[in-house]
Amino acid sequence: MPETGKWQFRWQSAERAARSATRAAVRSAQTAVATTQQAWHATPRHTQQTWRLTAVSAATGLAVAFVAVAASGPWDSGQRTAERAQAAEMDGASGEHHAPEARPAPSAPPVLPALGGRVPGAAGRGAAPAPTDAGLADALAPLLKDPALGTLRTASVLDVAAGREVFGEGQNKAAVPASTVKLATAVAALSALGPDHRIDTTVVLTGKDRLVLVGGGDPTLTARAPRHGAEEQPANLRALADATARALKKRHLTKISLGYDNAAYSGPVEHPIGPNENIAPVTALMTDEARLDDSEHGTAPRDTDPSHTAARTFADLLHDRGITVHGDPEDTKAPKKTTRIAAVHSLPLSALVERMLTYSDNDIAEALARQTALASRQPASFAGAGKAVRTALQREHLPLSGAVFEDGSGLDRDDKVTAGLLSRLLLHASSPDHPALRPVVTGLPVAAFTGTLSNRYRGQNAGAGAVRAKTGTLTGVNTLAGTVVDADGRLLTFSFMTTGTTDPQGAQTALDKLASAVANCGCR
């Protein structure tokens, strides 16, 4: 039939056009991928980290948005009439403990824009409507009266684009920060050393057949086998043994004695809280944070002499590579004039800061405080590190009234900071004027998703996925400080601190509601 012939001809023409368009689209996509890969490899690492976190947040949000629209039912005057599904339940305890691996992620309605970036439809940075002081006060003041909070409760919220405080209550009162003091440690270390700084662990030849293993203060040095598929690997004692054995064999040395040098750090090695599963003795040489189990984060039984254990492990690794080590490794100090024969380097400081903040890692925190001391020519002790952190923050013109830094981790209850300082630290790190500090923001746990916030914000749809914050928990002390994009797309930093709590779970929930209220608020 004539009509059938015309239809077939048109269909064949359409097929040819579609195939041609598909081939052109594939060629265009391949070109775009190649261009993107070249740009990616040329981009600084800390910028890559920010893009990764933003991309993951955006992808999660888009997927959730699709499901939510499909499931939410009819709309009425712009409002959904069906409720959002509750966030998926997650096992494990809240707080500073490491969460179990690989669980289904809960729903997260908001999509996080890049920090300091443009809000869709906006004309530029800060174009989203700013919250008013009165609007935020109406939203937050009632929540600060929650009886689950302790006798001392302070708060500070800052508008990043404007650089000003938009809500404060007792923001200049110094209080125990617990682990939120790690924000100060992170800013101090990054400002003193830079995000690309690495910590070396070295082997030096001090005599004809005498080696010394010199610790540089890298608590993430590992004696475990490298993880397959991991993008970045910490410094590995096995790799150091490989390099050392090769260097010795080139010198025709197969029998040596071994010492280990811990002299980079000084002062007491034990934290003032005493032996504790939250932290190892603070020494310049250790492997796997002196953990006696296979864990990587959270509490664990710890070795009481991590330096000697690391040296003995190194001796065993050398033996496996054909090098005989006479006797037991001895604690010694390497002379100034030596020959370095091997070295391994830690991950960059940016990665160490992120890991410290995400998992509230006390061992990394104390190491970074001491690295700050070394950079400032202060003794690498608890006292010297505290002085160095304070000096580094002073150089950044941060408000330090009432601040006391007795350690780098926040385990010491004599630490004191204000809510105003915590929010200013985050403002400083969020500013485009300080790109070296960006790991402070990218390392923050994401509510209901990562690190110490992975088990919190259950059912708090406004906060889940939108709040990024460092937690702080000691007996009777609960703190939360981070960043959030409000309902209008405005980036804010916040800190909430409370002391004298008797119900840790209730206090954490009350703090989470405060942060969720900021996320849910246009507050104008």
Side-chain angles (χ1 to χ4, degrees), residues 68-95:
V69 169
S72 61
W75 292 66
D76 181 20
S77 301
Q79 299 295 318
R80 278 193 301 234
T81 57
E83 296 181 356
R84 290 174 177 162
Q86 296 295 313
E89 289 296 321
M90 302 175 69
D91 297 329
S94 299

Side-chain angles (χ1 to χ4, degrees), residues 21 25 28 37 46 54 91 218 221 227 241 289 315 339 379 427 455 457:
S28 177
Q37 287 175 334
H46 63 267
T54 302
D91 297 329
D218 176 13
L221 176 69
R227 290 176 295 175
E289 299 183 343
T339 301
L427 175 69
N455 294 319
Y457 288 79

Side-chain angles (χ1 to χ4, degrees), residues 292-344:
L292 296 177
D293 58 18
D294 294 330
S295 66
E296 294 183 353
H297 309 293
T299 57
R302 308 301 182 107
D303 196 322
T304 57
D305 191 357
S307 298
H308 185 241
T309 299
R312 288 175 58 187
T313 301
F314 187 64
D316 291 340
L317 291 170
L318 289 176
H319 181 270
D320 294 341
R321 288 153 178 79
I323 304 298
T324 300
V325 179
H326 295 297
D328 198 38
E330 297 179 349
D331 189 357
T332 187
K333 181 173 173 56
K336 291 183 179 180
K337 292 184 179 181
T338 59
T339 301
R340 178 188 285 200
I341 64 171
V344 289

